[in-house]
Amino acid sequence: MITTELVERVDDDDRVIGLVGRGEAIRRRWLHRVATVVCRDTRGRILVHRRPADADRFPNGVNFMLGGASEPGETYEEAAARELTEELGVRAHPRFVLKFTCAGVISPYWLGLHEAVVTGPVAPDPDEIAWYDWLTEPQLAEVAEDEAFVPDAREAYHRWAAPRRGGPAPAGPTG
């Protein structure tokens, strides 16, 4: 039996309009919520991963965030913690960093970006993560400009990294 993944359709101010299937939200380019986590190890390095070649979205794409669509009724933080457990096998309390409307290659969405420090071993879900490594921020800056880096992740990276480099976050809707 095929089940439809439900998401909350939201407006330009991130207020819930109603429940819709995620596929329909993507097809109709309706805003919905996506929660992501940037993971650091105890040395401050950032987890970067490559998606499997057979992934539905962004096959072989490289990313510095883990995450996915928020389930109905979940806060961004709850969704980020759930996704971290599902994709990396880690339990943590992600800290909210920023939120913005991501143009999205597939469809636009509100993206809530969080950070978490991972102190123990990881157990990546092979359906989500084909390869991973821990990179320094300068190494990540290089990788973020590579053509294999997921375009949506690149947009998020520039917003996330701007304050670290002494500049303002790029203009655009934020929450």
Side-chain angles (χ1 to χ4, degrees), residues 38-128:
V38 175
C39 296
R40 290 185 182 272
D41 67 7
T42 56
R43 293 171 44 193
R45 297 176 305 173
I46 299 153
L47 183 119
V48 175
H49 70 281
R50 182 174 40 80
R51 304 219 356 110
D54 61 352
D56 289 346
R57 294 181 182 96
F58 307 112
N60 288 318
V62 176
N63 202 331
F64 80 118
M65 302 179 296
L66 300 168
S70 298
E71 293 179 354
E74 273 186 322
T75 65
Y76 283 99
E77 291 81 5
E78 291 167 341
R82 175 182 51 75
E83 290 286 345
L84 186 57
T85 301
E86 289 175 4
E87 295 188 16
L88 205 56
V90 171
R91 294 202 182 278
H93 299 285
R95 179 184 61 83
F96 178 82
V97 176
L98 63 95
K99 179 177 79 166
F100 67 97
T101 305
C102 183
V105 170
I106 297 171
S107 172
Y109 53 90
W110 276 97
L111 185 136
L113 190 146
H114 304 75
E115 288 184 359
V117 175
V118 175
T119 58
V122 297
D125 176 350
D127 291 334
E128 298 286 342

Side-chain angles (χ1 to χ4, degrees), residues 105-170:
V105 170
I106 297 171
S107 172
Y109 53 90
W110 276 97
L111 185 136
L113 190 146
H114 304 75
E115 288 184 359
V117 175
V118 175
T119 58
V122 297
D125 176 350
D127 291 334
E128 298 286 342
I129 298 171
W131 165 92
Y132 73 94
D133 198 1
W134 298 93
L135 303 182
T136 64
E137 286 195 34
Q139 290 170 322
L140 173 59
E142 274 187 48
V143 170
E145 300 309 319
D146 188 274
E147 68 180 42
F149 207 72
V150 172
D152 295 11
R154 185 174 296 112
E155 181 179 356
Y157 170 77
H158 287 294
R159 289 176 183 270
W160 174 82
R164 288 165 172 65
R165 295 181 175 163

